Amino acid sequence: MNHLKCAAFELPLSSDERFGNVDLPELCERLGEAGFLHRSGGNWHWVQEAYPADTISLRSVTSDNFVIIDTTGEGNGEPEVIGEVDFSSALTTVHPKAIYIHQGQQYHVERLDFDKRKAYVKPVNVDYFTDAIRYTQVRVLEIAEEESIPGPAARAHGDVLVRSQVVGFKKIKFFTNENVGSGKLELPENEMHTTAFWLTLGHKLLGELPFAISERQSGIFGLLYALGSMATLLLMCDRRDLGSAVGERPPSAGADIEWQEFAITTDVEKEFFEPNLYLYDAYPGGIGFSEPLYRICDVLLTRTRELIAACPCEKGCPSCVGPVADRYERSKEVALAILGLLSSREALVAATADKDSGHAS
């Protein structure tokens, strides 16, 4: 709606113009009732004195930012505003007890006023930084397209509801990346309606894997990590533009399922678990990444398999399936096994093509 206001400010809108896939005359009627537009000569004209572009940020999707205030001079009545953080990043970067870095200076977050969108900080000099722990759950609202693929598995894209909450943080030491402490947090939950691409791994596929249940679970998370890295490359976007999550396959889109964290399911539930591997647009409403990922699913799977297979590490690393906590983990091996089953059609097509070209020569 804010973008439509900007368009009307530049030039009058006619009823036969298109604005995406929305009903333009209906939106203009609503803006007219609200006092922003006036219809004259068949066109809608901007009549407000306000400048509509002021409501749109060029740095973030939402203008609901958190202001960061240095309280060092508070005793003298001179606290200083040193910056702003967008809403989605604030919960992970300026939560209470976080270390916020601004222009090379470390600041300790003393207090986060969520209602007034303010974070109060003080400069410190410590040898660690903080990493927020966030739980994310995804619910499918509407499936735009869905198709079965080898595995058995399925690919799909559509509208989803993403629910996330920061529940704690870790203190990570500089240079060595040692975990030197942690803490619990109780921040408000955040819900976002966006779009997503996801893969559904069938129960039969997981049952064919010669690995323990815990190893399959680690492999699924490792596979999602690698898919996210490759999707970022194929889409030519920033890694922070895509969010990822693993969730239970719902009985139907929009079903009212109970929110729960994948890692705390029981052994019986894990045995019959059919996971959805979500890659969602990390912005409200989505920004157009989900449908392209659905169309290039075969390329995404092939390139991800090549990425993991070509990595020289033994068990896993940040360059492929992510870092592993235990040297006995088999995340990399499990991820390759799953991709082998998902890519069986591609291998068959490639082999057939090579055979035909050999006969032709």
Side-chain angles (χ1 to χ4, degrees):
M1 189 66 81
N2 287 331
H3 285 274
L4 182 60
K5 292 178 183 178
C6 293
F9 178 86
E10 296 293 336
L11 287 172
L13 301 174
S14 63
S15 300
D16 58 349
E17 287 187 275
R18 291 180 55 84
F19 191 75
N21 296 322
V22 300
D23 187 350
L24 184 60
E26 181 183 350
L27 291 182
C28 289
E29 288 283 354
R30 290 170 57 187
L31 287 175
E33 294 173 359
F36 293 98
L37 302 181
H38 174 71
R39 188 169 187 176
S40 176
N43 295 331
W44 292 93
H45 298 259
W46 180 260
V47 293
Q48 275 277 334
E49 294 183 1
Y51 182 52
D54 282 342
T55 63
I56 298 177
S57 172
L58 296 179
R59 299 184 62 186
S60 63
V61 172
T62 174
S63 59
D64 196 12
N65 294 341
F66 280 72
V67 177
I68 303 173
I69 301 174
D70 182 1
T71 60
T72 305
E74 195 169 21
N76 302 324
E78 299 178 353
E80 180 185 3
V81 176
I82 61 174
E84 287 188 29
V85 179
D86 63 273
F87 181 87
S88 59
S89 301
L91 298 178
T92 57
T93 57
V94 291
H95 58 76
K97 301 180 182 179
I99 298 298
Y100 177 75
I101 300 178
H102 176 70
Q103 295 183 349
Q105 172 64 51
Q106 296 169 298
Y107 292 87
H108 183 266
V109 180
E110 304 289 325
R111 180 167 62 93
L112 177 65
D113 190 332
F114 192 84
D115 295 329
K116 295 182 179 181
R117 302 292 193 264
K118 293 180 180 179
Y120 299 91
V121 302
K122 283 187 177 180
V124 293
N125 185 18
V126 294
D127 62 348
Y128 67 89
F129 62 94
T130 53
D131 183 21
I133 302 172
R134 178 165 58 181
Y135 285 157
T136 303
Q137 298 96 10
V138 180
R139 178 191 296 174
V140 177
L141 299 177
E142 183 179 357
I143 299 175
E145 293 181 84
E146 186 175 21
E147 181 188 29
S148 297
I149 61 176
R155 60 171 179 164
H157 77 95
D159 290 357
V160 296
L161 181 67
V162 179
R163 183 180 183 183
S164 61
Q165 182 179 21
V166 176
V167 297
F169 66 94
K170 296 180 290 185
K171 297 180 180 179
I172 309 298
K173 194 170 184 179
F174 286 122
F175 307 115
T176 63
N177 284 338
E178 295 176 80
N179 188 342
V180 294
S182 62
K184 294 183 179 180
L185 296 172
E186 293 184 4
L187 295 181
E189 294 180 346
N190 183 35
E191 288 190 352
M192 174 178 64
H193 184 173
T194 184
T195 58
F197 159 79
W198 64 91
L199 292 170
T200 302
L201 305 182
H203 170 66
K204 183 179 178 182
L205 182 151
L206 298 179
E208 292 178 357
L209 299 175
F211 304 100
I213 295 177
S214 59
E215 292 174 335
R216 296 179 210 166
Q217 181 176 338
S218 299
I220 289 171
F221 280 107
L223 172 59
L224 182 60
Y225 180 94
L227 287 171
S229 299
M230 185 52 61
T232 300
L233 177 63
L234 294 176
L235 294 171
M236 293 186 293
C237 67
D238 190 280
R239 185 65 182 90
R240 292 167 294 183
D241 293 336
L242 286 177
S244 61
V246 174
E248 175 72 62
R249 180 181 187 177
S252 61
D256 190 14
I257 58 173
E258 180 182 355
W259 294 108
Q260 62 180 4
E261 175 58 25
F262 173 56
I264 60 173
T265 52
T266 64
D267 289 341
V268 176
E269 291 172 330
K270 290 177 183 177
E271 189 67 30
F272 295 97
F273 185 60
E274 287 194 326
N276 278 357
L277 279 61
Y278 297 99
L279 292 175
Y280 60 87
D281 294 13
Y283 302 96
I287 52 177
F289 289 150
S290 302
E291 186 177 353
L293 284 177
Y294 176 83
R295 293 198 306 264
I296 62 170
C297 179
D298 290 346
V299 177
L300 175 63
L301 295 175
T302 301
R303 296 288 180 83
T304 303
R305 184 178 57 184
E306 292 173 354
L307 169 71
I308 300 175
C311 188
C313 71
E314 294 184 6
K315 302 296 182 181
C317 70
S319 296
C320 56
V321 297
V324 294
D326 188 345
R327 60 183 182 141
Y328 297 107
E329 280 192 24
R330 305 173 69 181
S331 301
K332 184 174 181 179
E333 190 177 346
V334 175
L336 283 174
I338 295 175
L339 285 169
L341 295 173
L342 293 176
S343 306
S344 58
R345 178 178 60 180
E346 303 161 32
L348 179 60
V349 172
T352 304
D354 291 340
K355 183 178 180 180
D356 292 342
S357 62
H359 285 311
S361 62

